[in-house]
Amino acid sequence: MNHRRLLAVHDISCVGRCSLTVALPIISAVGVECSVLPTAVLSTHTGGFKGFTYRDLTSDIVPVQEHWSSLDLTFDAFYTGFLGSFEQIDIVKDLITKMSNEGTTVYVDPVMGDEGNLYTVFDSDFPKGMRRLCEMADVLMPNLTELCFMLGLEYRKGPYTREYLESVFKEAEVFGLKKIVITGVGLEEGKVGVVYKDYETGETGQVMRDAVEGYYHGTGDVFGSSLVGALESGLSLRDSVRIAVEFTVGSIKRTHDSGADVRYGVDFEPGLKDYSMQVDVLKKGLSVDAVSRGMGIPRISALASRVWNEAYKGIVDQDQIDYMLEKYLSPKAIEQEIADGYVFILLTSGQRDVAFAAYRMEGERMFVSKLYVENGLRGIGITSRMLKLLKDQCVRKGVGSMYLTVNRNNLPAIQAYKTMGFVIEKEIDTPIGNGFEMNDYIMGYTIRDRYVHPHDQTGGRRPRLEGPRRDPGFWRHVHR
Ligand code: PXL
């Protein structure tokens, strides 16, 4: 995709990370030019601080737009959020119409309220006006409160059923959108995330994570900005949502763990590097190589070492990590495994090594002996892409299932495998020498069961793997 110029239309809350102070750094981090149109200037945002100043910039917008028009400027994307006054809604609509080109995408976050209430600065007419702006959107990113206010639905607290969310997607058809992403939604107690629908393809999905205690200001803007950055980088809706959830949840967790004053917004800055790397990796795409000799072997060994030293810190003692790496993942150990019949596959993106797996067929089953994803790239679907490759290989060889071992304390990995359809089969404790023991689960996955189409009467003999999956079994399900 060529250089894109985006216009972010939000307020500037000078202190308390939200709106433009969040949109600018996040969108810039993925190489998209982020111009700004401030709708109001506040000393702080309105949630939780007393006595904030508020300068409404409504009367500046038309002169600003006229100047831009005199420069023959257009924008490739608009991303609107918190508007400073009711009158601004039509002024911003008009600006979008005048300053668009044929390829312009309009992202609207109808920032108005949360948890069933409008923010105090908006009166009850505001949602009606905001609805008119939403009708211009290609991609709408509301929370349920905002959606309910605009659609005249009664707001209910979660968890929500799939049927309810389907009905909300249906109601939201009145906006004439291409895509909708609804934030802050849970389908079960203790989980929260986003649900999305692409109206053009019919694809629906959800990305859920464990809820973090407390209320965090500005997270809608962190999510919206990272979603817009990823979509504007040319990623699919599904990949963009996963990356944006990962970035937002990481920021919330850091804030929670540090005990910081939540009024100052979430600690998103340390996550920017991984966010931009994730966008870059999925933008460049993944290549697959089978590695049997040469430089691939030390590269795999180095990747394993980086992963163990980060992911297993605190789970496994450092001297055991060093011992494991030397015994099982040194270049020499990998060469020996290849000689013993293991196949190593390496996923790369541009110059970057992203993930590797090693497997061997053991009669009727595939044993996946290793599956590692680079630090900073977990949680965005790389493991499921790798498993898809391995499943394809099983199907090609007529092998009906696969299994792997995972450390019993590696909870994120266990949850990720469960989400992908693996079940725990048993516990094993394996002595590995020097007094160390590996404490693992064996997790298995049956390929046939997974791919039988509900209407397939052939007893599951025809695995269905390829081809577009229409609204797969209802929701694609990604959660940890
Ligand atoms: O993040 C939403 C937001 C944006 N701008 C201002 C706000 C809020 C939420 O409270 O007060 C000024």
Side-chain angles (χ1 to χ4, degrees):
M1 191 171 288
N2 293 331
H3 177 85
R4 308 254 306 161
R5 177 183 289 130
L6 173 143
L7 183 68
V9 184
H10 302 247
D11 69 285
I12 295 181
S13 290
C14 300
V15 167
R17 288 163 286 194
C18 70
S19 44
L20 281 184
T21 62
V22 160
L24 258 172
I26 295 175
I27 292 169
S28 299
V30 291
V32 173
E33 179 184 337
C34 186
S35 305
V36 300
L37 179 62
T39 57
V41 179
L42 295 82
S43 52
T44 65
H45 62 70
T46 66
F49 294 105
K50 289 215 171 63
F52 54 85
T53 67
Y54 192 103
R55 182 173 299 274
D56 174 8
L57 297 181
T58 304
S59 59
D60 286 327
I61 296 180
V62 171
V64 166
Q65 179 253 303
E66 284 170 349
H67 177 230
W68 287 343
S69 291
S70 78
L71 304 174
D72 283 335
L73 258 183
T74 61
F75 294 97
D76 304 303
F78 294 91
Y79 167 32
T80 75
F82 183 101
L83 299 186
S85 70
F86 190 83
E87 300 73 59
Q88 267 185 26
I89 296 170
D90 285 331
I91 298 174
V92 168
K93 275 183 63 182
D94 191 50
L95 179 139
I96 292 175
T97 306
K98 289 191 169 124
M99 312 232 61
S100 290
N101 56 49
E102 320 81 74
T104 296
T105 306
V106 180
Y107 302 89
V108 174
D109 182 352
V111 177
M112 284 183 295
D114 205 0
E115 300 194 317
N117 300 306
L118 289 180
Y119 295 136
T120 49
V121 287
F122 297 120
D123 66 27
S124 56
D125 279 342
F126 203 82
K128 268 195 231 108
M130 190 58 101
R131 187 182 158 132
R132 294 199 300 275
L133 180 60
C134 294
E135 286 164 3
M136 294 189 86
D138 296 299
V139 182
L140 188 64
M141 305 171 279
N143 60 36
L144 259 187
T145 300
E146 290 153 351
L147 210 46
C148 287
F149 270 105
M150 289 191 291
L151 292 169
L153 304 173
E154 193 192 330
Y155 174 80
R156 304 200 245 127
K157 270 187 180 311
Y160 305 99
T161 62
R162 293 169 171 195
E163 292 70 29
Y164 172 72
L165 293 168
E166 272 293 348
S167 75
V168 173
F169 284 148
K170 188 105 193 91
E171 295 267 357
E173 280 176 9
V174 294
F175 295 117
L177 306 165
K178 292 187 176 144
K179 301 173 173 63
I180 190 165
V181 181
I182 309 176
T183 57
V185 178
L187 282 99
E188 56 184 293
E189 213 57 67
K191 298 270 181 191
V192 68
V194 306
V195 295
Y196 59 88
K197 179 166 179 117
D198 186 323
Y199 289 103
E200 292 180 316
T201 64
E203 181 192 7
T204 54
Q206 55 166 309
V207 181
M208 294 292 145
R209 294 287 190 269
D210 291 334
V212 180
E213 190 87 64
Y215 184 85
Y216 295 86
H217 287 283
T219 49
D221 297 330
V222 169
F223 175 79
S225 302
S226 51
L227 182 75
V228 168
L231 287 170
E232 279 297 295
S233 301
L235 302 195
S236 68
L237 180 61
R238 182 170 181 238
D239 286 341
S240 300
V241 169
R242 288 203 217 205
I243 288 179
V245 167
E246 195 63 22
F247 181 62
T248 309
V249 172
S251 306
I252 292 173
K253 280 200 184 128
R254 269 190 300 278
T255 312
H256 175 267
D257 295 348
S258 73
D261 182 342
V262 294
R263 292 176 306 170
Y264 291 91
V266 289
D267 191 12
F268 71 88
E269 296 88 348
L272 281 173
K273 197 164 130 268
D274 285 353
Y275 166 65
S276 77
M277 172 168 71
Q278 291 168 5
V279 170
D280 185 57
V281 160
L282 297 188
K283 185 162 117 181
K284 290 197 175 113
L286 297 171
S287 309
V288 189
D289 285 308
V291 174
S292 55
R293 61 197 147 80
M295 275 313 289
I297 292 173
R299 277 166 55 186
I300 285 175
S301 178
L303 172 54
S305 168
R306 290 194 295 277
V307 171
W308 266 91
N309 279 299
E310 187 190 273
Y312 284 96
K313 244 193 175 83
I315 296 181
V316 177
D317 289 342
Q318 186 64 46
D319 46 355
Q320 182 166 353
I321 293 179
D322 297 340
Y323 179 77
M324 285 282 308
L325 285 171
E326 186 53 36
K327 181 161 169 148
Y328 294 107
L329 290 151
S330 65
K332 215 167 116 236
I334 293 170
E335 275 166 23
Q336 185 57 49
E337 291 216 337
I338 292 169
D340 291 343
Y342 283 93
V343 178
F344 279 74
I345 47 181
L346 178 62
L347 293 189
T348 57
S349 170
Q351 298 301 307
R352 206 187 294 277
D353 295 335
V354 169
F356 78 90
Y359 70 89
R360 181 163 78 172
M361 295 306 181
E362 295 182 349
E364 276 298 287
R365 297 194 101 184
M366 171 189 272
F367 172 47
V368 182
S369 94
K370 299 175 175 61
L371 203 174
Y372 290 80
V373 179
E374 177 66 289
N375 301 331
L377 293 175
R378 290 186 283 276
I380 59 164
I382 307 264
T383 305
S384 39
R385 282 167 158 92
M386 182 70 97
L387 285 170
K388 170 82 167 66
L389 287 171
L390 297 175
K391 276 186 260 171
D392 289 351
Q393 191 61 13
C394 287
V395 170
R396 223 171 279 136
K397 302 269 184 205
V399 166
S401 67
M402 54 173 132
Y403 75 98
L404 47 77
T405 57
V406 55
N407 186 292
R408 293 203 289 277
N409 291 317
N410 192 351
L411 302 180
I414 294 166
Q415 185 58 53
Y417 290 131
K418 279 187 181 166
T419 302
M420 288 175 243
F422 279 79
V423 291
I424 293 175
E425 293 181 353
K426 61 177 173 196
E427 289 185 10
I428 50 162
D429 296 313
T430 318
I432 55 171
N434 273 21
F436 295 123
E437 199 174 62
M438 286 198 298
N439 310 115
D440 291 337
Y441 285 128
I442 290 188
M443 297 187 78
Y445 180 96
T446 306
I447 289 156
R448 200 172 290 148
D449 289 349
R450 195 62 187 174
Y451 285 101
V452 179
H453 190 273
H455 307 302
D456 186 343
Q457 301 298 315
T458 61
R461 275 174 224 290
R462 283 188 300 135
R464 298 172 71 100
L465 267 181
E466 302 300 343
R469 299 216 275 155
R470 278 183 306 116
D471 204 5
F474 186 73
W475 302 69
R476 286 179 190 279
H477 197 87
V478 184
H479 77 201
R480 284 193 300 167

